[in-house]
Amino acid sequence: MKKDYEQEKKALLTAFHDNRQALLTCARSWPYDRTEEIFLGSWSVLDLLAHLSGWDEANRAAVSDVQVGKLPEFYAHKDPDWQTFNAMSVRQYRRPSLPQQINQVNQTVGLLEDCLMELDAAAFYKDYGVRYKGWKVIIARLIESELHDERIHLEQMQTWLAGIP
């Protein structure tokens, strides 16, 4: 039976969008006087959101890279848990207030989602021959990875908020 790539793409992008919206809703409920407080490793909520913008922009650039058979640029910064790349993203995309940070994330995710919606399903799942240490790099897998990471971050944010007295 032939896979319905159009349906799979739609389901993945819907899950990505819905999870991001849930994450931003969670961020909007963050106590304003605690936006600088470290709650996850060395990150505040502002840092975590900046990190999301970094991955949005990296994955948007990766769409073009993968389609021409090039390994996405962010792989040059691959280390345990993407620490170097994440630190670069936080420096570049961090804004001074929660409303500004949420606006930043809305902007970057909007650009990424627009870019992904323009791709037909065949391109979204196509193997362009890009590999990293033997792993097949395709656009869909990049978004699946971002979604996986963001689901974890949403849970971490919800857990932290639930613990506030």
Side-chain angles (χ1 to χ4, degrees):
M1 184 167 136
K2 187 177 177 183
K3 279 189 154 190
D4 184 352
Y5 287 118
E6 194 62 47
Q7 194 61 30
E8 285 188 29
K9 177 188 173 200
K10 182 179 178 184
L12 176 57
L13 293 184
T14 297
F16 178 76
H17 177 82
D18 291 351
N19 191 78
R20 179 61 70 92
Q21 292 311 305
L23 201 147
L24 289 173
T25 296
C26 189
R28 284 183 194 97
S29 69
W30 211 265
Y32 193 77
D33 62 337
R34 297 181 81 173
T35 59
E36 297 283 349
E37 186 175 322
I38 303 304
F39 85 100
L40 181 63
S42 63
W43 284 354
S44 69
V45 69
L46 298 176
D47 299 324
L48 184 137
L49 294 172
H51 143 83
L52 299 182
S53 286
W55 280 107
D56 290 343
E57 288 296 297
N59 278 325
R60 189 165 63 100
V63 168
S64 300
D65 290 342
V66 169
Q67 288 182 300
V68 296
K70 181 181 164 194
L71 187 66
E73 191 176 305
F74 59 80
Y75 280 96
H77 306 287
K78 176 74 175 105
D79 57 14
D81 204 26
W82 295 94
Q83 290 177 358
T84 300
F85 181 82
N86 288 336
M88 290 170 32
S89 292
V90 169
R91 280 193 304 277
Q92 182 173 356
Y93 294 100
R94 192 175 194 279
R95 299 296 177 259
S97 72
L98 188 57
Q100 290 172 319
Q101 194 68 62
I102 289 171
N103 286 339
Q104 172 72 37
V105 173
N106 277 323
Q107 179 182 11
T108 58
V109 76
L111 292 169
L112 175 60
E113 288 177 333
D114 289 348
C115 172
L116 296 171
M117 291 301 290
E118 290 174 6
L119 289 175
D120 64 28
F124 195 69
Y125 288 96
K126 183 176 179 178
D127 180 358
Y128 290 93
V130 180
R131 301 289 182 274
Y132 180 76
K133 296 187 177 183
W135 290 92
K136 190 185 312 182
V137 179
I138 64 172
I139 296 163
R141 285 188 180 165
L142 296 174
I143 303 310
E144 288 168 354
S145 293
E146 188 168 353
L147 174 58
H148 173 77
D149 185 55
E150 291 186 22
R151 282 179 169 154
I152 293 168
H153 288 324
L154 175 58
E155 185 177 309
Q156 292 164 327
M157 291 172 74
Q158 290 169 332
T159 299
W160 187 86
L161 285 170
I164 294 176

